[in-house]
Amino acid sequence: MAGILDLREKRDEYESESVLTSGKTLITVRPNFPGPDKRNLHSNFVSFTLCHEIESALGIEAIHRTHDEEGLIFFLLSDMDKVEAKRICTGVEDNHPLGRLADIDVRDAEGTISRNEMGLQSRKCYICDDLAAHCTRSGRHGFDEVSGFFKESVTDYLVSGTMETMIQRLSSFSLLAELCRELGFGCVTVESNGSHKDMDFWTFSRSIRTVAKGFGEIPALGANDFESLRKFGLELEDRMFGATGGINTHKGAIFIYLIMIQGLLESGRYEDIPEEIRRISRPVLEDFGKGSESNGLKAYRQHGILGIRGEAAGGFPKLFGDYLGVLEDGFDLKRLTLSVMSDADDTNVIHRAGIDSLRELQSKARQSLRDASGTGSLDCWCNEKNISTGGSADLVGATVFAHLIKNNYKTLKGEI
Ligand SMILES: [Zn+2]
């Protein structure tokens, strides 16, 4: 494991070099999470959200990211003057609900500009009134206290505001969790393009923002039948293709989340969601009688596999049952991914590598779960065989989403 000091030094080199070669102002967004390893779902979400905030405010796109013990860090280059850029970034630090959970550094070829130089106070500690630098140096507060504050602040942000806002944030959080998995088994992740040549982390990150925003529009739709939900889903697919330059990143996820969110809206208790989903999704089985050419429908015709449509028609029994159980037992996304891969009939795998490869993959995933080893080689095997476990990845993200709905049901429904 590279020490955090080495990583900091490496980052500093990258930053100096980019301002020198570009002659521009560099903005670095990094999570302010305690401890030697800053990577986790909450801290990644803070970086991701604030990077988007800066992108919107400055009208630029991030050009580089790193994901290591320092956490998920974004780098943006702007033509804007250093002082003006710093003014906008300190505004985000001080005013965005997640702003205090990150450090947004601004520098140019002359060096970094500090908050003090802008006439602003240094950052305060999360826990007491002292300066953050004092408490960090003296280790005044324990890891659990500081990380607890960080995670609670993120959760408060996820479930505040209107139903629209909450759905947008929760779906964005869960889709990002899926994208930042340690291993993708052929899928794009924050660290690898898996078996894909035509898409990368940025394709997915643009797509997440677009589809999560769309999911937030579902409550206002007032959809009362499956056809209006499907119509909105097709519109959202178009927006996704617009954001990704025509690449399918989240078509499967759109299908699952639309139905889950509608189930949430129509339910009276968390426990009723699967029943609502069964009712909403009934028409989906009629698709099997049609001549459409989607991967899912081809898999049904050739192999009798009902796939994700069958799951929806049954109220996502595995997702709300076994998968959620695995997730809640230690929140290990690698184990959840292997569990999903070992039993889901992932039609993405069938489409790219055939039914025999799917069965082989399922057996290898079961083996990895039993031995708690071999996951690295299974990941390589997927890439070599040109397999992408995209259907399983959709279910992993959706399981995180179900977990968030379960834990925050009453807040979401405005009951507390
Ligand atoms: Zn303190």
Side-chain angles (χ1 to χ4, degrees):
M1 183 174 104
I4 205 149
L5 288 176
D6 293 338
L7 289 169
R8 224 171 267 172
E9 205 169 292
K10 219 172 115 201
R11 173 161 58 82
D12 192 56
E13 270 171 36
Y14 169 79
E15 291 178 353
S16 314
E17 201 184 307
S18 37
V19 286
L20 283 174
T21 49
S22 69
K24 294 188 181 194
T25 299
L26 178 77
I27 297 125
T28 307
V29 184
R30 53 195 176 88
N32 212 335
F33 190 84
D37 191 342
K38 302 177 191 304
R39 282 168 296 191
N40 58 69
L41 305 188
H42 293 78
S43 130
N44 290 348
F45 180 73
V46 167
S47 303
F48 182 77
T49 307
L50 294 180
C51 174
H52 187 215
E53 204 62 29
I54 304 281
E55 287 182 334
S56 310
L58 271 65
I60 50 173
E61 283 202 334
I63 49 150
H64 183 60
R65 93 254 164 206
T66 51
H67 184 249
D68 52 37
E69 283 87 338
E70 278 205 294
L72 177 58
I73 302 186
F74 289 100
F75 303 86
L76 305 95
L77 272 180
S78 168
D79 288 320
M80 198 177 273
D81 164 67
K82 169 166 77 172
V83 176
E84 186 55 18
K86 183 71 178 178
R87 195 185 57 72
I88 292 172
C89 293
T90 51
V92 172
E93 282 182 343
D94 293 342
N95 301 317
H96 191 280
L98 298 176
R100 63 183 303 206
L101 303 178
D103 283 322
I104 307 173
D105 303 327
V106 178
R107 70 193 288 177
D108 63 9
E110 312 272 283
T112 306
I113 178 164
S114 71
R115 290 175 61 91
N116 295 142
E117 286 170 83
M118 297 292 292
L120 295 165
Q121 284 190 325
S122 302
R123 317 288 309 267
K124 285 275 180 65
C125 167
Y126 292 156
I127 312 292
C128 71
D129 253 354
D130 204 347
L131 294 180
H134 290 172
C135 294
T136 309
R137 211 171 301 133
S138 63
R140 186 179 292 166
H141 314 289
F143 172 80
D144 288 350
E145 193 180 6
V146 184
S147 63
F149 174 87
F150 190 104
K151 291 186 176 176
E152 269 169 38
S153 305
V154 174
T155 306
D156 286 349
Y157 173 77
L158 291 175
V159 292
S160 59
T162 59
M163 175 69 115
E164 282 78 0
T165 312
M166 290 190 270
I167 287 178
Q168 182 180 344
R169 290 175 184 173
L170 293 171
S171 51
S172 170
F173 184 95
S174 58
L175 291 167
L176 183 70
E178 172 202 325
L179 181 59
C180 290
R181 286 177 302 155
E182 189 186 330
L183 296 173
F185 303 99
C187 295
V188 171
T189 66
V190 66
E191 290 179 23
S192 154
N193 289 351
S195 63
H196 295 276
K197 307 218 166 22
D198 56 347
M199 48 179 128
D200 61 13
F201 171 81
W202 303 109
T203 324
F204 272 83
S205 112
R206 279 192 287 271
S207 178
I208 288 176
R209 285 164 185 164
T210 306
V211 300
K213 188 165 178 292
F215 293 152
E217 294 167 25
I218 298 173
L221 277 185
N224 49 15
D225 58 53
F226 188 75
E227 278 320 304
S228 32
L229 210 54
R230 193 201 295 267
K231 198 164 151 262
F232 180 71
L234 291 172
E235 188 195 318
L236 196 48
E237 280 179 17
D238 278 344
R239 284 194 232 165
M240 171 197 81
F241 284 126
T244 62
I247 290 166
N248 173 14
T249 40
H250 286 116
K251 212 169 149 177
I254 290 174
F255 176 81
I256 301 172
Y257 280 68
L258 277 183
I259 293 171
M260 283 177 75
I261 292 165
Q262 193 63 25
L264 161 72
L265 293 173
E266 297 194 16
S267 65
R269 297 176 312 157
Y270 167 77
E271 292 74 15
D272 299 337
I273 296 178
E275 181 54 40
E276 291 298 338
I277 291 178
R278 270 195 290 279
R279 197 180 50 73
I280 297 160
S281 323
R282 212 163 288 142
V284 85
L285 292 179
E286 291 164 16
D287 289 355
F288 291 119
K290 298 176 187 161
S292 157
E293 274 307 295
S294 85
N295 295 339
L297 296 178
K298 250 187 270 171
Y300 174 71
R301 270 206 310 283
Q302 290 172 359
H303 312 291
I305 285 173
L306 292 174
I308 200 64
R309 284 181 176 76
E311 285 296 302
F316 294 121
K318 291 175 185 170
L319 195 158
F320 283 99
D322 290 354
Y323 300 164
L324 196 54
V326 171
L327 179 70
E328 291 179 341
D329 178 20
F331 224 89
D332 180 342
L333 287 191
K334 199 198 291 177
R335 205 160 69 83
L336 172 62
T337 304
L338 288 169
S339 302
V340 174
M341 276 163 44
S342 69
D343 97 331
D345 283 330
D346 190 329
T347 50
N348 288 45
V349 176
I350 302 177
H351 170 61
R352 284 173 56 137
I355 185 84
D356 294 339
S357 293
L358 172 70
R359 298 300 174 222
E360 199 177 347
L361 172 79
Q362 289 172 327
S363 137
K364 282 176 184 290
R366 274 192 286 273
Q367 184 69 32
S368 284
L369 271 175
R370 274 196 299 271
D371 303 349
S373 68
T375 48
S377 54
L378 179 53
D379 185 62
C380 294
W381 182 81
C382 289
N383 294 342
E384 281 158 18
K385 296 269 284 186
N386 195 31
I387 283 174
S388 180
T389 57
S392 308
D394 292 335
L395 287 166
V396 168
T399 305
V400 174
F401 188 58
H403 165 79
L404 294 167
I405 290 178
K406 183 180 171 188
N407 279 8
N408 300 290
Y409 187 82
K410 287 199 152 95
T411 316
L412 278 162
K413 298 294 271 188
E415 290 165 18
I416 44 172

